Amino acid sequence: MRLRTAPLRVAMSGLVKSVPERLIVAPTDLRSVDPFIAQEIFDGRFPLAGRVLETFGDSPFAVELPSRAFAERLHGFGWLRHIRADKTDVACAHARHIVSDWISVHGRRRRGIAWDPNVVATRVIAWLSHSPIILHAAEAGFYRRFMKSLAYQLGYLRKIASCCPDPESRLRVRTALAVASLSLPMRVSAIRRESLALDRELDRQILADGGHVSRNPRAILDILIDLLPLRQTYINLGYDLPQKLIPTIDRMYPALRFFRHQDGDLALFNGASATPASELMSVLRYDESAGKPFKALPQMNYHRMAAGNAIMIVDTGCPDSIEASHGAHAGCLSFEMSSGRHRFIINAGAPKFANRIYRHMARSTAAHSTAILQETSSSRVINSSFAGQILLPGVSETEIERRDDNHGNDWLRARHDGYKDNFGYTHEREIGLSAAGDKIKGCDRFIPDEGRDKKQKLAVALRFHIHPSITISRRDGESVTLRAPDGDSWIFAAPGLELVIDEDLFFADVSGMRPSQQLVIESPIEGMREIRWMLRQGE
């Protein structure tokens, strides 16, 4: 039932013209709940972003926070969903007390992490989605403070919505404003205004193939987690949906399935990290699209090769713009390979909660399963005072050829110019997957430019990052066996070359960073024509 109430007129630093008296609806949160986290929060411990904060009875906003990632999650209030696991009067009162503390300490300061656009948008969605918890048995005074704070934050989001430098943050801000237009009593004209603004942002950010401009597979999942409840709220309340909303969701599902390995996790490209299985399944539950995943996403510039039990996903692109490069990695021509229920060759992924040094390492070419020249990334991460960390284009152009040969084998050949300006070489990678899915052939070439000095001594390294669950055993100097826990095995070989097993770091494990291993092939570039390698399924 919709309730219509007259708004109370107030003045709040120009950001708020009116404060609604009540909420109309609480949108659904698709993320899973954890009773353990609910109990920890009730006991004064906040397990967020890989750290645990012990408050000893104090407000979490009155103590020093352990990391920026922790602060973002604390101020974002997504943890409120766990209180649903223990929705008692006492638990709700405790959550309300924390919200009240936040309003008192940070509600009007508009600075620091608490007022980062993405954090504000996340908090608004969380407060609206979990308002039944926050407002359960609340006194009138708190109810009024809560609504004032919501109105103030929404006013702030309206002011900064068009100038967020990060596309994902800008889309979340527009989503939060659309959610609020439905959750609070607003005029139909205001609902339409926010609907049109969301349409424009979806049009700018969601590509024709269903991918996101960031080229991050995980971004597709995160956006769907926000858009699906919004779609349902429009339908439940009987309002016209934004014209782009349903077509956008329908396009995004095949793109999401494109990046899904058979173990249920998403491929680790361009900022993607570990994906909780519960989140992915909660989104896929609403997938009404049919058919196998596409062979390619032409706008996102990825290719998928699949046969038998083997799947390979290859990055053949680069960011379209500086704006879209906030989380981009220098991993052009890197690939991931899975067989059955296990990932064998991966990229190191993005750490969820690590410091800047590790985040920077994760974005380097060396953290990807591709070739690197002179230990120099094909594109460079720099710090911008306005836009934060961005990827300075080294790779500006790629060429791709995909074909099936007479035997039904799938071949992909791609090249990039990331080393052309600095070193005078173009990197070309060719990969072939057999029709039976039991053999993979690879070849990497560094093609010199005409007229460049070839006397400089340069070295090439091919890295193949191995998933931590895979055991590596040496066969001889040029080959190893890769074995999964269920016995599935593949033999990796580099004929005529020394194959080194080296230490590695896997950044994207669900429990945080963990040690792993990588295979490395090194070669001087002088006189080198190509580096051949192959994988074949073991017996």
Side-chain angles (χ1 to χ4, degrees):
M1 181 175 68
R2 280 184 283 166
L3 301 177
R4 301 187 180 277
T5 58
L8 177 66
R9 301 289 170 181
V10 297
M12 296 179 72
S13 304
L15 290 182
V16 177
K17 296 295 187 287
S18 63
V19 177
E21 292 183 351
R22 63 183 301 140
L23 289 164
I24 294 174
V25 67
T28 304
D29 188 339
L30 295 181
R31 294 173 178 86
S32 61
V33 302
D34 188 334
F36 171 77
I37 295 178
Q39 185 60 48
E40 287 287 281
I41 291 172
F42 185 77
D43 292 336
R45 291 183 294 272
F46 287 78
L48 304 173
R51 308 289 285 274
V52 177
L53 175 68
E54 176 71 71
T55 63
F56 299 103
D58 293 331
S59 165
F61 308 110
V63 298
E64 183 178 355
L65 302 182
S67 70
R68 179 180 178 86
F70 185 99
E72 289 173 350
R73 281 155 182 77
L74 178 67
H75 289 290
F77 280 84
W79 50 265
L80 278 171
R81 70 183 185 275
H82 300 298
I83 311 301
R84 298 203 317 255
D86 181 25
K87 198 177 174 182
T88 61
D89 291 351
V90 175
C92 292
H94 184 65
R96 184 162 57 252
H97 179 70
I98 298 171
V99 172
S100 181
D101 278 349
W102 186 91
I103 294 172
S104 299
V105 176
H106 294 282
R108 298 295 294 269
R109 293 168 66 184
R110 280 198 290 146
R111 62 177 181 269
I113 295 173
W115 286 88
D116 178 88
N118 188 64
V119 174
V120 180
T122 301
R123 181 170 57 248
V124 165
I125 293 172
W127 280 16
L128 291 171
S129 297
H130 304 295
S131 54
I133 291 169
I134 301 170
L135 300 176
H136 176 71
E139 296 179 352
F142 173 81
Y143 202 116
R144 182 182 178 84
R145 287 181 68 220
F146 178 76
M147 299 303 289
K148 273 189 177 182
S149 182
L150 262 179
Y152 186 74
Q153 293 175 66
L154 289 168
Y156 174 74
L157 290 180
R158 292 187 190 102
K159 275 187 172 293
I160 56 91
S162 61
C163 57
C164 295
D166 176 29
E168 288 182 66
S169 296
R170 195 165 62 242
L171 181 53
R172 179 156 289 173
V173 167
R174 287 300 183 191
T175 303
L177 290 171
V179 170
S181 74
L182 300 174
S183 301
L184 301 169
M186 292 190 184
R187 294 187 180 93
V188 173
S189 59
I191 296 173
R192 287 176 179 164
R193 183 179 64 246
E194 299 300 351
S195 171
L196 288 171
L198 178 62
D199 265 347
R200 287 192 293 269
E201 204 57 52
L202 290 173
D203 216 23
R204 279 193 288 263
Q205 296 198 33
I206 307 304
L207 303 171
D209 58 17
H212 185 251
V213 291
S214 67
R215 306 188 66 244
N216 180 349
R218 176 61 199 256
I220 303 170
L221 175 63
D222 290 338
I223 292 167
L224 282 171
I225 286 175
D226 286 341
L227 293 184
L228 289 170
L230 177 62
R231 178 185 67 176
Q232 196 58 44
T233 305
Y234 274 107
I235 293 172
N236 290 346
L237 295 180
Y239 288 112
D240 292 336
L241 280 78
Q243 290 185 1
K244 304 287 185 180
L245 185 57
I246 290 180
T248 295
I249 291 172
D250 289 344
R251 288 203 315 275
M252 291 176 76
Y253 267 119
L256 183 66
R257 288 190 285 109
F258 176 96
F259 289 109
R260 192 183 184 207
H261 285 290
Q262 292 180 95
D263 68 348
D265 216 334
L266 297 179
L268 301 172
F269 295 100
N270 289 298
S273 191
T275 304
S278 57
E279 289 187 10
L280 188 56
M281 291 310 299
S282 68
V283 166
L284 290 175
R285 195 169 64 236
Y286 297 93
D287 182 9
E288 297 176 357
S289 58
K292 296 180 179 179
F294 299 141
K295 293 182 69 173
L297 297 180
Q299 282 74 43
M300 269 190 103
N301 258 321
Y302 288 94
H303 282 258
R304 181 183 174 102
M305 309 169 78
N309 289 325
I311 291 174
M312 298 183 71
I313 303 172
V314 188
D315 180 354
T316 57
C318 56
D320 286 337
S321 65
I322 293 292
E323 182 190 53
S325 74
H326 285 265
H329 288 200
C332 190
L333 303 195
S334 66
F335 75 95
E336 294 198 344
M337 174 264 182
S338 61
S339 174
R341 302 294 299 174
H342 297 280
R343 287 176 288 168
F344 281 75
I345 297 175
I346 55 172
N347 294 314
K352 279 188 172 183
F353 316 125
N355 60 32
R356 179 176 292 185
I357 294 174
Y358 285 116
R359 293 200 304 272
H360 193 281
M361 286 173 57
R363 297 178 72 175
S364 69
T365 300
H368 296 77
S369 292
T370 187
I372 183 170
L373 180 58
Q374 203 62 12
E375 291 300 330
T376 302
S377 289
S378 56
S379 293
R380 187 161 56 94
V381 178
I382 64 170
N383 291 314
S384 163
S385 57
F386 171 70
Q389 284 196 343
I390 58 175
L391 196 71
L392 191 67
V395 178
S396 60
E397 185 177 350
T398 59
E399 298 177 22
I400 303 133
E401 177 189 348
R402 183 85 176 263
R403 63 184 176 85
D404 290 334
D405 64 20
N406 294 331
H407 303 288
N409 305 316
D410 191 1
W411 288 91
L412 173 68
R413 178 184 293 172
R415 58 173 62 178
H416 75 72
D417 62 351
Y419 294 113
K420 199 167 186 177
D421 289 343
N422 289 336
F423 302 108
Y425 286 88
T426 296
H427 176 207
E428 180 179 273
R429 166 164 276 183
E430 188 172 19
I431 301 174
L433 176 63
S434 68
D438 58 351
K439 294 184 182 69
I440 297 167
K441 292 183 178 181
C443 180
D444 285 88
R445 306 177 182 92
F446 278 84
I447 304 166
D449 286 354
E450 295 296 329
R452 292 292 291 261
D453 179 16
K454 309 303 184 300
K455 295 180 181 179
Q456 53 184 332
K457 293 185 177 180
L458 303 175
V460 174
L462 269 65
R463 288 188 168 87
F464 302 86
H465 298 270
I466 307 302
H467 193 277
S469 68
I470 303 301
T471 302
I472 305 176
S473 57
R474 183 169 289 285
R475 291 164 55 86
D476 51 45
E478 59 186 40
S479 67
V480 297
T481 298
L482 309 176
R483 191 174 302 278
D486 63 0
D488 188 10
S489 66
W490 285 75
I491 296 169
F492 185 102
L497 297 167
E498 182 183 3
L499 183 61
V500 176
I501 303 173
D502 204 355
E503 295 180 346
D504 199 8
L505 272 178
F506 181 47
F507 293 116
D509 192 74
V510 290
S511 59
M513 292 187 298
R514 62 182 289 193
S516 57
Q517 293 179 297
Q518 59 179 311
L519 305 178
V520 184
I521 306 168
E522 294 182 310
S523 172
I525 205 166
E526 299 90 60
M528 183 198 79
R529 296 182 60 84
E530 56 192 23
I531 299 176
R532 293 186 176 274
W533 48 271
M534 60 186 66
L535 283 152
R536 62 179 174 84
Q537 200 156 26
E539 297 177 357

